[in-house]
Amino acid sequence: MFRAAVIGTSYGGLDALKAIIPHLSKDFPLAVFVVLHIGDNKNDSFIRHLKKQSKVKIKEAEEKEEIKPGTVYFAPPNYHILIENDSTIALSADPKIHHSRPSIDVLFESAAWHFKNQLIGILLTGLNKDGALGIKEIQKYAGITIVEDPETAIATIMPASAIEIMKPDYILPLDQISKKIIELSELY
């Protein structure tokens, strides 16, 4: 049974997330964690916009917050987001990774260690290699991995970097990713 999904994206990510999150139902059974590279900019206007289009609960993650299914947690600007052993969220101002804080790799690795084979990892469009090692870690712990087909990505570096170092379970065009996430969440 899957308990969580993690999504990482960078350049072009706003549009990619709008193609996925609004398709999740109000009773979506997984917790979803999102790292979107937006620099030091606030993401509250994007979250407000996404809330209007979506049925699932969407919020910015908070320190020591208990993880709940059916909620999409966005990493706050300039903080790494991690999953703790007690099923809470931790925020960190540790150094940037791949010039980014929040880092996709940090989220994906901590989620893999916690959720193991109960995790779905999704890597989308982006202009750097952040996320490639993290999604490989998800696969190492028997989680399911989905990488956006570079042919449909606004920026190909991020998904192509993952495909270069591992064989994802699924390489899908953006318009098929939400359907696959929903299908996997209903398997168990």
Side-chain angles (χ1 to χ4, degrees), residues 38-178:
I38 57 170
D40 295 338
N41 302 315
K42 296 265 185 213
N43 60 10
D44 54 348
S45 63
F46 177 67
I47 289 174
R48 278 195 312 273
H49 176 73
L50 210 53
K51 281 181 179 181
K52 291 177 186 174
Q53 296 181 339
S54 304
K55 298 171 201 87
V56 69
K57 182 178 180 179
I58 300 170
K59 66 182 305 297
E60 190 172 272
E62 298 176 42
E63 176 72 19
K64 294 298 177 197
E65 182 173 4
E66 184 181 335
I67 296 168
K68 295 185 178 169
T71 304
V72 177
Y73 300 94
F74 274 83
N78 218 19
Y79 285 94
H80 297 301
I81 181 174
L82 299 98
I83 309 304
E84 297 281 74
N85 288 336
D86 63 355
S87 293
T88 61
I89 295 169
L91 301 176
S92 164
D94 284 345
K96 293 180 177 184
I97 297 176
H98 297 289
H99 310 289
S100 301
R101 186 176 51 227
S103 165
I104 298 166
D105 281 335
V106 169
L107 169 62
F108 281 18
E109 289 170 358
S110 71
W113 301 333
H114 180 73
F115 292 111
K116 297 184 177 28
N117 65 344
Q118 299 173 327
L119 180 65
I120 302 168
I122 303 108
L123 191 61
L124 304 172
T125 180
L127 282 175
N128 68 26
K129 295 182 178 190
D130 191 19
L133 294 176
I135 202 156
K136 186 176 181 181
E137 191 77 359
I138 291 169
Q139 191 173 62
K140 174 182 165 186
Y141 282 89
I144 295 293
T145 55
I146 301 170
V147 174
E148 180 179 2
D149 186 338
E151 294 292 319
T152 67
I154 292 172
T156 63
I157 295 171
M158 194 173 283
S161 295
I163 294 166
E164 184 178 304
I165 65 167
M166 50 100 67
K167 185 179 185 307
D169 296 300
Y170 301 96
I171 300 171
L172 298 173
L174 179 61
D175 65 359
Q176 292 180 22
I177 292 175
S178 62

